[in-house]
Amino acid sequence: MKFSTKVIHGGQKPEESTGSVMPPIFQTSTYAQSSPGEHKGYAYSRSANPSRTALEKALAAIENANYGFAFSSGLAAIDCVLRLLKPGDEVIAGDDLYGGTYRMFTRLFEKYGLQFKYVDMDSVSNVSAAISNQTKLVWIETPTNPLMKIADIEEISNAVKSQNKDILIAVDNTFATPYIQQPLDLGVDIVMHSATKYIGGHSDLVMGALMVNTEEIAKELHFIQFAAGAIAGPMDSFLALRGIKTLDVRMQRHCENGIAVANFLKNHPKVGKVYFPGFESHPNYNVAKKQMRDFGGMVSFKLKDERKEATFKFLENIKLFTLAESLGGVESLANHPVTMTHGSIPEEDRLKIGITDSLVRLSVGIENIEDLLQDLDQALKA
């Protein structure tokens, strides 16, 4: 099936007992057993729930995976991946990460004995050079949050596996979505999504997802999820499954509006640098063009006036864009990374890679593009 068909039908079928086209919300914690240990595949909803099962089959389908898992949040999904490791193991990650991921790495798992190296993944050689005998996981985020850096997924996978085939490679695919890129097809072991974002698509749920192909990894992840309990509930599973059905058409508009906003900002006299992988001037444009179907709806930029006051004035004057956390909903959002999504990263580390007070991250929604551009223009001129 092509992707636009797969989001509607992939891994999905009418509910068997009633023929319901959409899987019902099985709002239950437990299930009747005909005899001890004999049941219809469900015993307790922490282990499995029919609403979550329906979603997980759809998640697997859209990432060309054999197995999908739905979690209570994106960070819960990352936590599950890190629990595959043991004290003394090493993780290599990009130097530009979502602030919550960085916070989990540094303030939780370093305390539990994991070691982390941060490298610029623009260059595959930086990843190869960082690998040691302790390396057990390479964590890739591409495009990165918020600087829109691009890592060559296939080249990194090949380089890492050639050095040590047992090193796991995971990709945070939240910004791109399966519509734009499918990392499992490029050689990685695990794909992670904050399904709160584009997969849900309507800013009405919090959820994470993992997709894998290997049965051995799938069994380990399922055990960790079952034992730790970080599961998606049935109502959120229903909402996410509904979101998946419109992912293809939503992403088309997100991408169209994203490049229009990026070009508008690039040509605006009050805007300095614009971070967008669809520009030929982007240092990894060729990689983005190779591995991505389109360039997405995320755009970051800095004003020429780099004072914090100027940035705050712009953010206080937007009207159609909403100043808020998160991204990937049908509505356009503006974010100030230093005070919001990346506030947990120490200032010295933020400044080192370019996350300054003047940086603004936009999640470009699916509204009329003329209305969006007019709102940005009036806020920049205010």
Side-chain angles (χ1 to χ4, degrees), residues 34-312:
S34 56
S35 182
E38 294 184 12
H39 49 73
K40 298 179 180 179
Y42 297 92
Y44 187 60
S45 279
R46 175 162 42 80
S47 175
N49 173 283
S51 299
R52 193 166 85 243
T53 299
L55 169 63
E56 290 174 337
K57 288 180 178 179
L59 289 170
I62 62 176
E63 276 286 10
N64 294 336
N66 293 324
Y67 308 93
F69 302 92
F71 292 80
S72 53
S73 69
L75 285 171
I78 298 172
D79 175 84
C80 186
V81 174
L82 293 178
R83 289 173 188 259
L84 294 171
L85 309 180
K86 63 182 186 302
D89 288 347
E90 180 182 80
V91 179
I92 297 172
D95 60 356
D96 180 33
L97 289 174
Y98 164 55
T101 304
Y102 182 87
R103 179 178 58 232
M104 177 179 285
F105 287 180
T106 57
R107 298 183 63 180
L108 286 181
F109 280 92
E110 278 187 358
K111 186 170 63 177
Y112 303 144
L114 295 188
Q115 303 172 44
F116 296 88
K117 287 180 182 175
Y118 302 95
V119 302
D120 183 352
M121 289 193 175
D122 278 6
S123 173
V124 177
S125 62
N126 292 339
V127 181
S128 297
I131 292 174
S132 72
N133 292 334
Q134 286 72 46
T135 304
K136 295 296 186 290
L137 172 67
V138 174
W139 185 266
I140 303 170
E141 190 178 294
T142 183
T144 62
N145 181 4
L147 297 176
M148 308 302 295
K149 297 170 74 172
I150 303 295
D152 191 321
I153 298 170
E154 187 170 32
E155 288 298 315
I156 291 175
S157 298
N158 290 339
V160 171
K161 295 296 185 180
S162 69
Q163 288 185 248
N164 185 340
K165 62 182 177 60
D166 294 326
I167 295 174
L168 294 173
I169 305 170
V171 171
D172 181 340
N173 203 29
T174 300
F175 269 27
T177 80
Y179 173 86
I180 290 176
Q181 68 187 14
Q182 294 169 323
L184 291 173
D185 293 345
L186 300 175
V188 311
D189 301 292
I190 303 170
V191 173
M192 191 285 288
H193 287 271
S194 174
T196 309
K197 315 304 194 297
Y198 286 108
I199 287 178
H202 295 78
S203 301
D204 54 8
L205 61 89
V206 175
M207 183 182 290
L210 295 176
M211 295 82 144
V212 300
N213 275 332
T214 307
E215 183 180 8
E216 181 182 358
I217 298 174
K219 285 182 176 179
E220 289 188 71
L221 293 174
H222 180 262
F223 172 76
I224 293 167
Q225 184 186 42
F226 167 74
I231 57 168
M235 181 65 190
D236 283 348
S237 296
F238 175 86
L239 291 172
L241 190 56
R242 178 205 62 180
I244 286 174
K245 288 181 180 292
T246 61
L247 180 62
D248 182 85
V249 292
R250 284 188 288 108
M251 288 309 301
Q252 290 179 47
R253 178 62 72 86
H254 282 299
C255 291
E256 291 169 5
N257 284 356
I259 197 163
V261 165
N263 281 316
F264 169 81
L265 292 170
K266 183 174 70 171
N267 295 312
H268 199 284
K270 289 196 173 183
V271 174
K273 186 169 184 178
V274 180
Y275 301 83
F276 184 69
F279 289 157
E280 290 187 17
S281 59
H282 189 286
N284 287 103
Y285 170 76
N286 289 330
V287 175
K289 195 172 181 182
K290 177 183 72 169
Q291 72 186 20
M292 298 169 70
R293 174 181 177 181
D294 211 320
F295 301 110
M298 299 301 300
V299 183
S300 296
F301 70 97
K302 292 179 180 178
L303 297 175
K304 285 182 178 176
D305 184 346
E306 295 200 14
R307 294 174 303 145
K308 188 176 183 177
E309 295 77 14
T311 306
F312 275 37

Side-chain angles (χ1 to χ4, degrees), residues 4 16 36 49 127 137 188 209 240 276 304 314 323 330 341 357 367:
S4 56
E16 291 182 0
N49 173 283
V127 181
L137 172 67
V188 311
F276 184 69
K304 285 182 178 176
F314 165 78
L323 177 61
V330 293
T341 51
D357 285 338
E367 302 95 337

